[in-house]
Amino acid sequence: MGCAGEATGAAATGALIGAGFGSVNAAWTAKPEMGTRTGPLLVNTLGKIGKWTGILAGVSAVYSGVKCTAIDVREKDDVISAFFGGCAAGATLAFKSHRVVDAFTGCAALGGMAAMVKFAGEMRPESVTSTKYVDEVQKKLKEKVV
């Protein structure tokens, strides 16, 4: 599928999540009043949904694309590749503010978080995270009940 395919898939997932989040945000912050027209409320709602859809689709695509590219270039799927993806995604969030400080802060925050999640995921051995482990635990629980 390649990095472009992964980024496209991540963008679609991010767009769906963003649309859901935008819908909840619009419903939570809407302040309709009796006698007001629905047109402005609808425009406001669609604007919030579109905003969050675009933000999360873009950030997801950038994270996935940069991480995949880093894995291809470095030929390793490790903490550093995850950091590169997170850093690029965090810097993407700063485009609207046009401030370099925001880009560095986003890079550090999301890059660090992505690296920590990758590191934590690598700490658990395959025997504990696989379905084999779950099957063994379920078997032991059934033996205790019977």
Side-chain angles (χ1 to χ4, degrees), residues 114-137:
M116 286 189 284
V117 167
K118 182 69 174 174
F119 178 75
E122 290 176 349
M123 287 175 45
R124 296 180 69 186
E126 178 72 24
S127 61
V128 177
T129 58
S130 67
T131 57
K132 184 173 98 175
Y133 173 77
V134 174
D135 293 339
E136 290 175 13
V137 170

Side-chain angles (χ1 to χ4, degrees), residues 26-100:
W28 192 264
T29 60
K31 296 176 183 158
E33 297 175 10
M34 286 296 275
T36 58
R37 300 182 62 132
T38 58
L41 291 174
L42 185 59
V43 168
N44 184 31
T45 299
L46 292 176
K48 287 183 182 188
I49 292 170
K51 171 187 167 187
W52 286 107
T53 299
I55 288 172
L56 289 180
V59 169
S60 298
V62 168
Y63 172 77
S64 182
V66 171
K67 181 182 172 200
C68 179
T69 303
I71 290 169
D72 285 350
V73 169
R74 297 180 65 244
E75 297 179 353
K76 290 184 200 175
D77 183 8
D78 61 356
V79 175
I80 295 171
S81 297
F83 176 80
F84 285 150
C87 179
T92 302
L93 290 173
F95 279 156
K96 188 173 182 181
S97 71
H98 301 291
R99 293 180 43 188
V100 176

